[in-house]
């Protein structure tokens, strides 16, 4: 690699566009892979590389690892899946942690993970552009350090670990900008305490929207949940076992279609007919839908009981907002004190990665379906884009480390 670097510097020295230019931009040659993003996915792939004796460098735009978990999650959050399905490679959760670790326990686990593997991270470093330089055979990655200093990195392998949840999705709702009460995305929601006694419109019925409604109820707020599309709600546990864990076990022996039928039957017995309360199920089963579209079923942690008792009211789609109210698709108009947007997140890869083959320019996700979306061309990789949570990220992290090891051996 040193030869490549000397060649690059020589080309820059004799390039008529740059030879007379005194560039103030620091340039750094990264001997190993460069990873963009220090969330769980970035940490996982860095650790897998470290296990193979390959040192990587992580660039992270925030001041800490796992910034989404640190700053953009609500206080009551727990992992929705049992800890064996959420642990990163080569390090299980502590045995004294509960089956579903809390947010703070998960963060402490991630810090211990980064410390144990001695992962090298540059914080407060926002990547603004990355592109393959055909002339010298390097990825050229430009970042802004501490919001003011531009640094240019050169590397043979670039690993995109910014994930599916890099930026908030703000829906286009007529009148959203004129509503006079608080309008909060779940990334800024911490606790229902500030909404005590308020009437709150929650837009979005995924796991976050459902759990925020439950949290609001616990603080004597009055949540109204907007459900625009069909949704699968499953019990969090079945016969004392995690629904997800039980599903994974059954899939070893039975076709996905049969497991889906079992899940729907048990859900009907435990929860009843959800459509009577305005929660219509999709035509595809929960596992088939997840496999085809990445849409995750809601694992109920107590919200559905509140819907049954009427403490959480289910509403159809919103057509527009006024200064103090929301108008629904049925024509009704109702006043609200606040609006919470549980509308999810999206990838931000197209805003900084300048390539058109691996990532879709519209949604910022790999074009190839799982399990083939982890590898691109010219040493480009992706981790944390499987729509299969931490388990999927760990699978891709291992594949990437193995592939780079093979590159180094050849």
């Amino acid at each position: 690699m040193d030869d490549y670097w000397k060649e690059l510097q020589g080309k820059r020295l004799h390039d008529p566009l740059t030879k007379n230019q005194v560039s103030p931009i620091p340039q750094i040659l990264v001997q190993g892979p460069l990873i963009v993003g220090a969330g769980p996915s970035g940490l996982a792939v860095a650790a897998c590389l470290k296990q193979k004796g390959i040192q990587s460098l992580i660039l992270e735009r925030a001041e800490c690892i796992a910034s989404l978990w640190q700053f953009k999650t609500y206080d009551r959050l727990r992992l929705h899946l049992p800890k064996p399905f959420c642990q990163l490679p080569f390090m299980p959760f502590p045995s004294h942690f509960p089956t579903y670790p809390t947010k703070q326990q998960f963060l402490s686990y991630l810090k211990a993970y980064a410390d144990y593997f001695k992962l090298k991270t540059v914080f407060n470093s926002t990547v603004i552009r990355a592109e393959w330089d055909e002339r010298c055979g390097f990825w050229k990655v430009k970042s802004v350090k501490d919001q003011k200093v531009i640094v240019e990195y050169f590397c043979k392998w670039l690993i995109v670990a910014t994930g599916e949840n890099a930026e908030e999705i703000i829906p286009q709702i007529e009148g959203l900008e004129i509503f006079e009460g608080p309008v909060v995305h779940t990334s800024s929601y911490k606790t229902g305490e500030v909404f005590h006694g308020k009437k709150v419109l929650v837009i979005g019925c995924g796991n976050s929207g459902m759990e925020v409604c439950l949290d609001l109820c616990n603080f004597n707020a009055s949540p109204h949940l907007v459900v625009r599309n069909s949704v699968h709600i499953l019990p969090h546990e079945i016969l004392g076992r995690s629904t997800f864990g039980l599903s994974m076990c059954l899939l070893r022996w039975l076709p996905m279609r049969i497991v889906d039928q079992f899940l729907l039957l048990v859900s009907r017995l435990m929860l009843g007919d959800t459509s009577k309360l305005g929660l219509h199920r999709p035509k595809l089963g929960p596992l088939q839908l997840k496999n085809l579209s990445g849409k995750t079923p809601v694992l109920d942690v107590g919200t559905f009981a509140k819907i049954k008792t009427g403490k959480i009211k289910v509403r159809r789609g919103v057509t527009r907002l006024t200064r103090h109210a929301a108008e629904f698709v049925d024509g009704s108009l109702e006043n609200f004190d606040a609006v919470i947007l549980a509308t999810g997140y999206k990838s931000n890869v197209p805003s900084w990665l300048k390539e058109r083959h691996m990532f879709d320019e519209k949604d910022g996700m790999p074009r190839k379906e799982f399990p083939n979306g982890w590898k691109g061309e010219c040493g480009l990789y992706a981790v944390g884009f499987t729509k299969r949570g931490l388990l999927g990220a760990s699978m891709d992290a291992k594949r990437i480390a193995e592939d780079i090891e093979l590159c180094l051996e050849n």
Side-chain angles (χ1 to χ4, degrees), residues 34 127-142 152-155 158 352-356 377-378 380:
L34 182 67
V127 173
I128 57 174
R129 187 179 183 89
E131 59 187 334
W132 174 252
D133 191 330
E134 193 68 49
R135 295 179 303 169
C136 61
F138 280 95
W139 283 97
K140 187 163 59 175
V141 181
K142 188 176 290 186
E152 208 166 44
Y153 295 88
F154 292 84
C155 60
L158 177 63
W352 59 269
L353 181 61
K354 306 309 171 185
E355 71 88 43
R356 297 183 177 181
E377 299 174 354
C378 303
L380 180 63

Side-chain angles (χ1 to χ4, degrees), residues 92-236:
F93 281 93
S95 58
H96 66 275
F97 275 22
T99 303
Y100 304 98
T102 65
K103 165 185 171 177
Q104 291 303 325
Q105 287 171 328
F106 184 56
L107 286 170
S108 70
Y109 165 78
L110 293 178
K111 185 179 185 306
Y113 190 85
D115 289 344
Y116 178 79
F117 289 103
K118 297 181 172 60
L119 304 181
K120 189 177 179 182
T121 307
V122 180
F123 294 109
N124 296 309
S125 186
T126 303
V127 173
I128 57 174
R129 187 179 183 89
E131 59 187 334
W132 174 252
D133 191 330
E134 193 68 49
R135 295 179 303 169
C136 61
F138 280 95
W139 283 97
K140 187 163 59 175
V141 181
K142 188 176 290 186
S143 72
V144 178
K145 183 78 169 72
D146 299 323
Q147 300 183 342
K148 55 185 177 180
V149 180
I150 294 178
V151 182
E152 208 166 44
Y153 295 88
F154 292 84
C155 60
K156 294 294 291 180
W157 302 280
L158 177 63
I159 303 174
V160 180
T162 48
E164 306 156 4
N165 303 317
E167 305 289 347
E168 297 89 345
I169 294 175
I170 306 299
Q172 298 295 316
I173 301 174
E174 182 184 345
L176 187 63
E177 70 283 354
I178 66 170
F179 183 77
E180 293 188 358
V183 177
V184 180
H185 190 275
T186 47
S187 61
S188 301
Y189 178 94
K190 297 302 176 187
T191 171
E193 185 175 9
V194 296
F195 299 99
H196 178 85
K198 304 291 186 182
K199 191 174 177 182
V200 184
L201 185 67
V202 180
I203 300 176
C205 63
N207 278 295
S208 293
M210 290 283 190
E211 198 160 348
V212 163
C213 281
L214 179 61
D215 193 52
L216 288 166
C217 279
N218 291 340
F219 287 96
N220 294 316
S222 176
H224 289 233
L225 177 66
V226 175
V227 182
R228 294 180 300 167
N229 304 311
S230 56
V231 59
H232 277 302
I233 300 180
L234 304 177
H236 197 238

Side-chain angles (χ1 to χ4, degrees), residues 211-276:
E211 198 160 348
V212 163
C213 281
L214 179 61
D215 193 52
L216 288 166
C217 279
N218 291 340
F219 287 96
N220 294 316
S222 176
H224 289 233
L225 177 66
V226 175
V227 182
R228 294 180 300 167
N229 304 311
S230 56
V231 59
H232 277 302
I233 300 180
L234 304 177
H236 197 238
E237 293 187 336
I238 296 174
L239 300 175
R241 290 193 61 179
S242 153
T243 299
F244 180 82
L246 182 59
S247 300
M248 294 300 101
C249 182
L250 292 174
L251 284 172
R252 296 176 185 173
W253 311 101
L254 299 170
M256 188 177 292
R257 176 178 55 84
I258 301 300
V259 178
D260 269 341
Q261 290 176 358
F262 168 76
L263 291 175
L264 292 174
L265 175 62
V266 174
S267 296
R268 180 70 177 247
L269 292 172
M270 295 180 66
L271 302 176
D273 184 0
T274 61
S275 65
K276 291 182 177 179

